[in-house]
Amino acid sequence: MQQRRTVSPTDPFPMVIVERLVKRFGSFNALSGVSLKVAKGEKIVLCGPSGSGKSTLIRCINHIEKHDSGRIVVDGIELTDRIRDINNIRSEVGMVFQSFNLFPHLSVLENCMLAPMKVRGLAEPEAHERAVALLRKVRIHDQAHKYPTQLSGGQQQRVAIARALCMQPKIMLFDEPTSALDPEMVKEVLETIVELAQDGMTMVCVTHEMGFAREVADRVVFMDLGSIVEEGDPSTFFRAPNTDRAKAFLNRIIH
């Protein structure tokens, strides 16, 4: 069992700072003044009903969605509209989506080598060595020369994780990484993410896999209607949630 972190809200050097974040889609408020800090090495699980703002929050952290107001700081860099700030943050943040987003015309190995060479400027031999090592880490190295369409969903998602890790990010964001998988493939992907957590990677994960949250999370953050309703350590959150909305959510998803 990994040792869980206890993070003070006054931690002077958080990896991520989100302050009073607002994001609108037309007249719909997807995020309504959300504030959150993530410490270096901390593992946070975001949970809540569909449409609660979980995915929007992590997509704003990576500037896939542009927030309307508020403030985001990642590893000391404030996210602004300047391309340089956006690129600097994206180079330090790995993101894994529900869909795998692999390049179908590239092999597994080439998918993993591309960004380190184009963005980080790695020479091909170094990029190759790093890609092979990380494919081995996620236990998919024996498929390195296949193309994404030749792999199962679970294998493709593990390649997507390896590809993100090849950039040596300081934080990993996961947006429901198992929701598009068949049930028998979920376990292999979750095991890979658990191993990353045990290695000390800073992580924010949107998921409905509550068993995973119990095992991995230092903190569970429950969202509803674009706001953070409740947060706490997993044992407290699952045993004795403080709010009626969290209790109702847990009653629906935990049998």
Side-chain angles (χ1 to χ4, degrees), residues 4-74:
R4 299 191 188 275
R5 288 185 55 116
T6 301
V7 180
S8 167
T10 59
D11 185 340
F13 303 112
M15 182 63 71
V16 179
I17 301 171
V18 176
E19 292 181 344
R20 303 179 301 278
L21 203 68
V22 172
K23 172 62 184 176
R24 302 183 187 91
F25 294 101
S27 61
F28 174 68
N29 273 356
L31 297 174
S32 303
V34 169
S35 295
L36 179 71
K37 290 183 179 181
V38 184
K40 183 178 181 180
E42 189 178 16
K43 291 84 182 164
I44 288 183
V45 165
L46 300 179
C47 65
S50 297
S52 60
K54 311 178 298 297
S55 293
T56 301
L57 175 56
I58 63 170
R59 290 169 71 88
C60 284
I61 292 172
N62 208 22
H63 204 70
I64 295 171
E65 298 287 357
K66 179 183 175 183
H67 57 285
D68 293 296
S69 64
R71 182 169 176 255
I72 300 172
V73 181
V74 179

Side-chain angles (χ1 to χ4, degrees), residues 153-154 177-191 209:
T178 61
S179 65
L181 301 178
D182 293 333
E184 64 269 19
M185 297 177 185
V186 169
K187 185 174 183 289
E188 65 185 63
V189 172
L190 290 180
E191 286 175 347
E209 299 287 343

Side-chain angles (χ1 to χ4, degrees), residues 229-244:
V229 176
E230 183 173 343
E231 57 184 296
D233 67 271
S235 61
T236 301
F237 178 76
F238 288 109
R239 185 185 70 254
N242 290 319
T243 62
D244 289 340

Side-chain angles (χ1 to χ4, degrees), residues 171-234:
I171 179 171
M172 286 286 288
L173 307 177
F174 295 93
D175 187 7
E176 299 194 31
T178 61
S179 65
L181 301 178
D182 293 333
E184 64 269 19
M185 297 177 185
V186 169
K187 185 174 183 289
E188 65 185 63
V189 172
L190 290 180
E191 286 175 347
T192 300
I193 301 173
V194 168
E195 289 175 8
L196 285 182
Q198 292 170 342
D199 287 345
M201 174 64 73
T202 307
M203 292 169 36
V204 181
C205 185
V206 175
T207 184
H208 292 295
E209 299 287 343
M210 294 298 99
F212 168 80
R214 288 179 189 268
E215 181 178 358
V216 169
D218 297 307
R219 185 160 36 124
V220 176
V221 176
F222 173 71
M223 297 184 67
D224 193 22
L225 300 176
S227 299
I228 293 176
V229 176
E230 183 173 343
E231 57 184 296
D233 67 271

Side-chain angles (χ1 to χ4, degrees), residues 126-141:
E126 187 178 354
H128 182 278
E129 181 180 358
R130 182 183 297 179
V132 170
L134 288 166
L135 288 168
R136 187 177 300 278
K137 182 179 182 65
V138 301
R139 301 185 301 279
I140 200 74
H141 58 283

Side-chain angles (χ1 to χ4, degrees), residues 22-175:
V22 172
K23 172 62 184 176
R24 302 183 187 91
F25 294 101
S27 61
F28 174 68
N29 273 356
L31 297 174
S32 303
V34 169
S35 295
L36 179 71
K37 290 183 179 181
V38 184
K40 183 178 181 180
E42 189 178 16
K43 291 84 182 164
I44 288 183
V45 165
L46 300 179
C47 65
S50 297
S52 60
K54 311 178 298 297
S55 293
T56 301
L57 175 56
I58 63 170
R59 290 169 71 88
C60 284
I61 292 172
N62 208 22
H63 204 70
I64 295 171
E65 298 287 357
K66 179 183 175 183
H67 57 285
D68 293 296
S69 64
R71 182 169 176 255
I72 300 172
V73 181
V74 179
D75 194 30
I77 303 171
E78 183 162 0
L79 183 56
T80 69
D81 285 336
R82 292 186 302 181
I83 294 297
R84 182 176 179 181
D85 293 332
I86 295 168
N87 289 340
N88 283 341
I89 285 177
R90 283 182 175 166
S91 70
E92 303 299 343
V93 177
M95 187 150 183
V96 176
F97 301 87
Q98 299 176 33
S99 54
F100 320 121
N101 292 339
L102 300 173
F103 296 112
H105 64 290
L106 298 180
S107 70
V108 165
L109 188 62
E110 290 167 337
N111 263 280
C112 292
M113 292 173 60
L114 182 63
M117 293 172 63
K118 296 291 187 182
V119 179
R120 298 286 199 202
L122 259 63
E124 185 174 346
E126 187 178 354
H128 182 278
E129 181 180 358
R130 182 183 297 179
V132 170
L134 288 166
L135 288 168
R136 187 177 300 278
K137 182 179 182 65
V138 301
R139 301 185 301 279
I140 200 74
H141 58 283
D142 56 336
Q143 309 292 326
H145 296 290
K146 289 187 177 180
Y147 289 86
T149 54
Q150 297 175 290
L151 305 179
S152 70
Q155 289 173 323
Q156 289 187 62
Q157 193 63 293
R158 282 187 283 154
V159 172
I161 293 171
R163 182 178 63 175
L165 292 174
C166 279
M167 287 291 287
Q168 296 186 328
K170 294 181 178 177
I171 179 171
M172 286 286 288
L173 307 177
F174 295 93
D175 187 7

